């Protein structure tokens, strides 16, 4: 008699898992929290620190653009990471692949904390920084899809989108940890970017602490993931010999349309995310003569930390809505709201409105803008770890969902801070919002073309069903 777990048509019962459900949830949320923490500390440093110590010389705008370019290097690496780790995940299993992705990301982040600066070794410094950023991208490219599959392939019947919220919560949790850590350090050492510039101990060495401390969290994540078992859905694929030798080849041959759908379904989410986390920080703390608002880093970081709570709060709301009403109608409504939000950027953020005559920021207006954007971010991001895996069959699910997610990161996130900075320099803040609105319209088109995946069984999903729902 088979010892493999039974898999229900649309979910997994608790006694079929092999490990407690809380451990699966913990492994997914802890792992993605660590990965996003590593990613965010780089994003924060890329705006506030790296232009000063890795890209000195010239004007502030040029240094910021150079720093943003290295920020984008990770997004070039992420699709490659999804291919490498996707192959491992579809061939060797979810568990071992998640461990590999975590170590890749964590070691690269730790090394960044040890790098010499431009003033010590010249151009080798930004070159080494870019390489480590590339490695961060490789790790994150394999992390998200593995964590998403971990919870969706073990979800209770009818609760897949709700279960899928757990890896998504890693994004706001990681943001809170990373930026909270930076805020504590700036307060403890009395650093104010608007006053001190590069002449401060924070720029000399304190910025390294969050990067070095990440190795502690990596050790915790590694401990959790080593204790996991494979998902019942993947065990069933092994039992039935459904694994393919070349998942990448198969996913491009059999599921090319799902790759396109998944990429553009995620597109607006990524644009919004990096506007609300990276670009808005550079706009807020940038000098007024360079087109910024002249706010201190500490003051604006407090606003971001408040707003990110709404990001976290609306992720489970989106999961519940997607389980109740379906993925497609839920996302169509949310993405329409993103169009409206993008068209309102000029009203929210124009410097003549949000900065008073004495040069101080209208904090209330900025807080409300950030809360609105982050709440929408939670709503659009929450269902994604259910929607993308549901598009693909088991034998190519890790590879397919990972490629779609990470190619979208290039289109929607790698270019976003750079394009937004250019739009600000060439036009005004309204055009940054128009960029978001245009991206949201593109996502709306592909959502309209997509199938409803709420009722699909991940264990029974095959290529014939994929073809019928095109």
């Amino acid at each position: 008699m088979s010892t493999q777990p039974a898999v229900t048509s649309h979910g997994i019962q608790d006694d079929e898992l092999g490990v407690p459900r809380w451990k699966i949830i913990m492994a997914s949320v802890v792992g993605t929290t660590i990965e996003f923490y590593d990613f965010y500390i780089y994003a924060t440093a890329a705006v506030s620190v790296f232009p000063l110590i890795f890209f000195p010389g010239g004007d502030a705008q040029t240094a910021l653009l150079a720093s943003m370019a290295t920020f984008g290097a990770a997004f070039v690496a992420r699709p490659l990471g999804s291919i490498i780790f996707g192959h491992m995940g579809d061939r060797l299993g979810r568990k071992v692949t998640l461990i590999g992705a975590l170590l890749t990301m964590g070691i690269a982040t730790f090394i960044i904390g040890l790098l010499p600066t431009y003033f010590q070794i010249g151009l080798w410094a930004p070159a080494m920084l870019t390489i480590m950023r590339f490695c961060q991208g490789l790790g994150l490219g394999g992390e998200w899809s593995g964590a998403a599959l971990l919870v969706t392939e073990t979800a209770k019947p009818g609760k897949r989108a709700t279960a899928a919220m757990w890896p998504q919560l890693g994004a706001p949790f990681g943001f809170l940890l990373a930026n909270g850590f930076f805020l504590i350090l700036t307060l403890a050492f009395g650093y104010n970017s608007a006053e001190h510039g590069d002449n401060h101990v924070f720029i000399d060495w304190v910025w390294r602490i969050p990067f070095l401390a990440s190795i502690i969290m990596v050790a915790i994540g590694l401990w959790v993931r080593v204790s996991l078992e494979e998902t019942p859905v993947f065990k069933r694929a092994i039992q039935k010999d459904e694994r393919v030798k070349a998942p990448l080849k198969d996913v491009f041959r059999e599921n090319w349309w799902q790759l396109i759908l998944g990429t553009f379904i995620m597109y607006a989410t990524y644009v919004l995310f990096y506007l609300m986390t990276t670009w808005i920080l550079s706009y807020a703390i940038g000098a007024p003569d360079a087109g910024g608002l002249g706010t201190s880093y500490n003051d604006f970081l407090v606003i971001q930390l408040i707003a990110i709570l709404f990001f976290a709060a609306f992720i489970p709301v989106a999961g519940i809505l997607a389980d109740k009403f379906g993925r497609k109608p839920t996302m169509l409504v949310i993405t329409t709201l993103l169009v409206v939000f993008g068209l309102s950027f000029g009203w929210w953020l124009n410097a003549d409105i949000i900065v008073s005559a004495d040069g101080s920021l209208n904090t209330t207006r900025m807080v409300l803008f950030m809360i609105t954007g982050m709440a929408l971010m939670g709503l659009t991001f929450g269902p994604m770890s259910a929607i993308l895996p549901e598009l693909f069959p088991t034998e190519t699910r890790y590879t397919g969902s990972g490629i779609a997610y990470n190619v979208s990161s290039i289109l929607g996130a790698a270019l976003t801070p750079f394009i937004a900075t250019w739009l600000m320099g060439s036009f005004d803040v309204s055009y940054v919002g128009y960029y978001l609105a245009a991206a949201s319209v593109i996502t709306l088109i592909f959502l309209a073309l997509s199938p409803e995946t709420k009722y699909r069984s991940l264990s029974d999903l095959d290529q014939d069903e994929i073809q019928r729902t095109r």
Side-chain angles (χ1 to χ4, degrees):
M1 189 168 81
S2 173
T3 59
Q4 297 296 333
V7 183
T8 62
S9 59
H10 297 292
I12 308 297
Q13 301 296 341
D14 288 350
D15 59 358
E16 300 169 317
L17 294 176
V19 295
R21 193 176 292 277
W22 66 264
K23 185 171 285 190
I24 294 171
I25 291 172
M26 184 178 178
S28 67
V29 72
V30 168
T32 53
T33 297
I34 293 168
E35 298 278 359
F36 279 105
Y37 166 86
D38 288 355
F39 213 68
Y40 289 146
I41 55 175
Y42 189 101
T44 301
V47 171
S48 59
V49 177
F50 292 164
L52 302 174
I53 61 173
F54 286 102
F55 306 97
D59 60 84
Q61 184 80 353
T62 301
L64 178 60
L65 287 173
S67 185
M68 287 298 185
T70 65
F71 177 80
F75 295 98
V76 177
R78 284 174 65 167
L80 179 59
S82 67
I83 291 171
I84 295 171
F85 290 107
H87 180 89
M88 292 173 59
D90 285 326
R91 287 294 302 163
L92 304 178
R94 307 344 186 183
K95 174 182 173 177
V96 65
T97 307
L98 282 168
I99 292 172
L102 181 65
L103 289 175
T104 301
M105 183 82 171
I107 292 171
T109 302
F110 183 77
I111 291 175
I112 289 174
L114 300 174
L115 289 179
T117 69
Y118 177 88
F119 300 104
Q120 295 170 309
I121 60 170
L123 292 176
W124 283 106
M128 293 169 66
L129 180 67
T130 303
I131 293 171
M132 290 301 102
R133 180 60 173 170
F134 189 86
C135 291
Q136 279 191 317
L138 287 178
L140 191 58
E143 164 63 30
W144 177 86
S145 51
L149 267 57
L150 185 64
V151 290
T152 55
E153 291 185 345
T154 57
K156 293 181 179 180
K159 299 294 184 181
R160 240 183 354 237
T162 304
M165 76 174 180
W166 292 109
Q168 304 302 77
L169 284 170
F173 289 172
F175 186 95
L176 284 167
L177 284 173
N179 288 283
F181 202 167
F182 265 103
L183 178 60
I184 291 170
L185 290 174
T186 57
L187 293 175
F189 287 87
Y191 176 68
N192 187 322
S193 62
E195 298 177 3
H196 297 117
D198 60 353
N199 185 26
H200 196 275
V201 67
F202 184 85
I203 302 299
D204 291 339
W205 63 269
V206 174
W207 68 268
R208 299 178 184 274
I209 296 175
F211 290 89
L212 298 176
S214 68
I215 203 69
I216 299 172
M217 300 202 312
V218 170
I220 296 171
L222 187 62
W223 170 75
V224 173
R225 289 187 169 180
V226 165
S227 65
L228 291 177
E229 292 190 11
E230 280 300 339
T231 68
V233 171
F234 189 77
K235 287 181 178 181
R236 179 180 180 275
I238 296 174
Q239 181 188 25
K240 297 182 68 175
D241 196 25
E242 292 176 339
R243 289 178 298 172
V244 294
K245 292 183 178 180
L248 180 63
K249 178 181 177 181
D250 277 52
V251 81
F252 275 102
R253 183 181 62 201
E254 303 289 347
N255 309 124
W256 57 271
W257 177 237
Q258 284 69 38
L259 287 173
I260 294 173
L261 283 179
T263 296
F264 287 100
I265 286 172
M266 274 293 301
Y267 179 53
T269 302
Y270 262 123
V271 172
L272 175 66
F273 189 47
Y274 284 91
L275 287 179
M276 298 304 299
T277 55
T278 304
W279 169 78
I280 190 65
L281 177 62
S282 66
Y283 177 53
I285 72 174
D289 58 1
L293 299 179
T295 307
S296 77
Y297 170 73
N298 288 359
D299 290 344
F300 189 74
L301 189 52
V302 172
I303 295 174
Q304 277 196 311
L305 291 173
I306 292 170
I308 208 76
L309 297 174
F310 289 82
F311 178 15
F314 277 85
I315 285 175
V317 172
I320 293 169
L321 292 174
D323 274 335
K324 182 176 178 60
F325 299 107
R327 287 50 161 151
K328 186 172 179 176
T330 300
M331 290 304 302
L332 285 171
V333 172
I334 293 168
T335 308
T336 300
L337 293 176
L338 293 187
V339 175
V340 176
F341 181 62
L343 295 176
S344 71
F345 264 44
W347 181 82
W348 283 109
L349 296 176
N350 188 288
D352 295 334
I353 299 173
I354 203 167
V355 177
S356 63
D358 63 0
S360 62
L361 182 71
N362 185 331
T363 303
T364 301
R365 195 179 191 89
M366 180 60 82
V367 168
L368 290 175
F369 169 79
M370 292 295 296
I371 287 174
T372 302
M374 285 299 186
L376 288 171
M377 183 62 217
L379 289 173
T380 186
F381 190 59
M384 287 300 170
S385 55
I387 293 172
L388 297 192
E390 288 170 349
L391 290 172
F392 299 92
T394 302
E395 60 267 24
T396 58
R397 186 170 295 137
Y398 204 126
T399 301
S401 61
I403 290 175
Y405 182 86
N406 289 294
V407 170
S408 184
S409 76
I410 292 182
L411 300 176
L415 300 177
T416 290
F418 192 91
I419 291 175
T421 301
W422 177 81
L423 287 171
M424 274 296 305
S426 302
F427 303 99
D428 59 52
V429 73
S430 298
Y431 284 81
V432 179
Y434 299 154
Y435 173 49
L436 172 61
S440 301
V441 169
I442 292 172
T443 290
L444 277 174
I445 293 171
F446 282 89
L447 281 169
L449 295 173
S450 67
E452 175 56 68
T453 57
K454 173 183 175 181
Y455 301 104
R456 284 183 172 177
S457 168
L458 294 186
S459 58
D460 299 331
L461 187 59
D462 57 27
Q463 294 294 350
D464 290 338
E465 183 181 350
I466 289 282
Q467 297 294 332
R468 286 195 302 271
T469 55
R470 278 188 182 174

